[in-house]
Amino acid sequence: MEGLEAPKQRIEEQAHKMSPFLHSFPVKPLLNLLTLILCAAVCISVIVGLVQSNHEVLHYVVAIYLFLGSFLLALASAPDHIRRETLKYVLFLATFNGKGALMIFMSILMFGLGVISIIVGIVLLVTGLFHLFLWLFFRDLATDTLYASTKAAMNADAPTYPQDAAEQI
């Protein structure tokens, strides 16, 4: 286990050195813009892949998943008033790890649709891994204020039960 601690400590030290740069740089708006561009690229490459395919049923199923995933990612990367309504239903997309996991899943699906889809899938994979990197090493940067307000609003709507109700059951 000692052999694993040294590289982990070096990575954390490097991340700590990069932290002031990332806090001064508009990371979230640029990632949202990149995500919107990638969602459009996914839709275009899926359409091109479907036109060039053998019209197999599996291609259509994968296309539905990719369209739905890119639609959700686009809504989660949209301006605040749209994102707030979206995050009520898909709260995992408010964090970098949720977006990164969905991007990695979509990139795996992209590898079966053609050459253009493979290229877009590789870019989507790298972007998803970057989201996970930010979530792992820059948690303070990865906290979305909409996530906290949406989660608080959801908890405020939940019914409250008296303490004695648990004892009565």
Side-chain angles (χ1 to χ4, degrees), residues 26-103:
V27 175
K28 287 182 190 178
L30 289 177
L31 277 178
N32 285 339
L33 179 64
L34 179 64
T35 302
L36 289 172
I37 292 169
L38 279 174
C39 289
V42 165
C43 291
I44 290 169
S45 67
V46 166
I47 291 170
V48 169
L50 285 177
V51 168
Q52 295 175 349
S53 73
N54 314 6
H55 302 292
E56 294 179 12
V57 175
L58 185 60
H59 286 218
Y60 292 109
V61 172
V62 169
I64 290 170
Y65 275 109
L66 288 171
F67 281 131
L68 184 66
S70 62
F71 180 70
L72 288 175
L73 273 176
L75 287 178
S77 300
D80 289 347
H81 62 283
I82 297 171
R83 193 165 72 216
R84 182 174 285 118
E85 293 301 317
T86 303
L87 294 180
K88 286 181 185 177
Y89 305 104
V90 285
L91 198 55
F92 72 96
L93 289 178
T95 60
F96 282 142
N97 59 337
K99 280 185 182 179
L102 183 60
M103 286 180 177

Side-chain angles (χ1 to χ4, degrees), residues 98-109:
K99 280 185 182 179
L102 183 60
M103 286 180 177
I104 291 170
F105 172 71
M106 288 173 56
S107 68
I108 292 170
L109 292 178

Side-chain angles (χ1 to χ4, degrees), residues 140-160:
D140 55 336
L141 180 70
T143 304
D144 196 345
T145 55
L146 283 177
Y147 174 75
S149 64
T150 305
K151 193 170 182 181
M154 288 175 61
N155 289 337
D157 294 340
T160 57

